[in-house]
Amino acid sequence: MPLRHDLRRGALMMLGATALFSLMGALVKGLGDSIPFPELMFFRNLLALPVVAAIGLRRKVDLRTQRFGGHFLRALAGLAAMSCSFFALTVLPLAEQTALTYSTPIFVIILSIPMLGERPGPHRWGAVLVGFLGILVIALGQGAFIGGGRHDPSIPEWLLWAGFGAAATHGLFSALTTLLVRQLSATEASAAIVLWQSILMTAMTTLALPFVWVTPSWEQLPLLIGMGLLGGLAQVMLTEAYASAQVSALGPYSYSALIWAIGIGWLVWGDVPTPSMLAGAAMIVAAGLYILHRELRRRGKPS
């Protein structure tokens, strides 16, 4: 299907996708107090699978592949990234978790050295340093939020630090996923990659259910269904966004998730961002945008 180069439509779809992903994250956080996060991941993948399969059928995706091992590794990396994200959501305030997961472009540069043989220059290494400093500002700013789960005395300090580590590590696995997709894209259609990912991640999370299963209440069941459907719909909107405009043009709009997360966190949990959190988030976002800028310059495209 030809690219439409409709930036307005692409930007609206990207903004909608980030809003739905933020709402999904809020449901994960709300349900995480009583339902183990691996079970939440199962419902997220299972209920999004029909949506992804519908896209595959519409595009007449052929699942026959000579690179099943690559798809399996990509699903493992995606599962690890989702595990880090969902666990962090059960511990940290929504906006703080969102800001820390923006470290993906930073880890893409680091992993591109062994995986793609690239040699980042001093500009991109400088952006990596700024991004990591932003992560430290958030992690060390113990007063980042007033209220919310982070200041719940029932949450041990070690668990909070585990949440910080998981949120930041999400960027590492997300970057690994990005590079694996880049390698698979040389021979595989993008819709086939997404469909294989959804099938394999649903199967993997199913294997964990006997060890973590907690029967949802009738009140929780609609929230679980809503979480999965929101994730699936957000994935569709994200796909439509990238089908409407170039990825490089849509990059800055993906950071709108932080605005959604701050708003939802304030309305639902009373989380109020303080300068330390906002400063760290600004450093991480600035690093990501500068990396995008350098990538466009390297390709000879206007930024």
Side-chain angles (χ1 to χ4, degrees):
M1 184 173 64
L3 192 64
R4 284 170 284 201
H5 297 292
D6 186 344
L7 180 57
R8 177 178 296 180
R9 183 178 187 276
L12 289 174
M13 287 291 173
M14 176 63 75
L15 292 171
T18 58
L20 294 181
F21 276 129
S22 297
L23 289 171
M24 184 199 74
L27 289 176
V28 171
K29 181 172 177 59
L31 292 165
D33 291 337
S34 53
I35 298 179
F37 73 89
E39 185 176 339
L40 296 176
M41 291 167 54
F42 164 75
F43 280 101
R44 158 66 177 90
N45 288 299
L46 177 67
L47 294 169
L49 182 57
V51 179
V52 176
I55 296 176
L57 288 174
R58 189 181 69 177
R59 299 187 179 181
K60 300 179 180 179
V61 171
D62 185 358
L63 286 177
R64 289 178 297 182
T65 179
Q66 300 294 322
R67 303 184 64 183
F68 179 78
H71 288 290
F72 186 77
L73 286 176
R74 188 256 182 271
L76 276 179
L79 188 67
M82 184 179 288
S83 299
C84 290
S85 176
F86 275 41
F87 169 70
L89 279 168
T90 64
V91 179
L92 301 178
L94 182 61
E96 192 163 302
Q97 182 269 349
T98 302
L100 289 169
T101 57
Y102 280 148
S103 59
T104 298
I106 300 168
F107 285 109
V108 166
I109 288 180
I110 297 173
L111 291 178
S112 68
I113 299 173
M115 293 185 65
L116 302 179
E118 295 186 358
R119 295 182 179 181
H123 290 277
R124 287 198 287 173
W125 278 122
V128 168
L129 178 60
V130 171
F132 277 120
L133 288 176
I135 293 174
L136 288 176
V137 168
I138 294 176
L140 297 177
Q142 290 298 314
F145 280 94
I146 301 170
R150 184 178 172 188
H151 292 273
D152 187 341
S154 66
I155 300 179
E157 186 176 349
W158 68 266
L159 192 58
L160 296 175
W161 283 102
F164 282 123
T169 306
H170 165 273
L172 173 63
F173 287 116
S174 182
L176 179 59
T177 299
T178 300
L179 295 177
L180 287 172
V181 169
R182 191 178 297 180
Q183 292 179 340
L184 284 170
S185 297
T187 58
E188 308 285 290
S190 59
I193 295 173
V194 172
L195 188 52
W196 267 117
Q197 172 205 351
S198 190
I199 293 171
L200 291 173
M201 288 179 64
T202 301
M204 291 174 183
T205 51
T206 302
L207 295 176
L209 287 183
F211 305 98
V212 300
W213 178 260
V214 172
T215 302
S217 66
W218 287 108
E219 292 79 13
Q220 291 172 329
L221 195 57
L223 299 178
L224 284 170
I225 295 173
M227 178 195 68
L229 294 179
L230 282 172
L233 183 57
Q235 202 162 342
V236 170
M237 294 185 74
L238 193 65
T239 302
E240 288 297 319
Y242 289 137
S244 301
Q246 294 177 347
V247 175
S248 57
L250 296 174
Y253 294 97
S254 64
Y255 290 103
S256 64
L258 184 58
I259 300 174
W260 296 116
I262 289 175
I264 294 171
W266 175 62
L267 289 172
V268 178
W269 292 282
D271 295 335
V272 181
T274 61
S276 59
M277 182 270 164
L278 293 176
M283 294 171 71
I284 296 172
V285 171
L289 290 176
Y290 188 72
I291 289 170
L292 174 62
H293 165 71
R294 295 299 302 182
E295 182 69 16
L296 292 175
R297 285 196 61 181
R298 189 178 67 163
R299 296 180 184 180
K301 297 178 179 180
S303 58

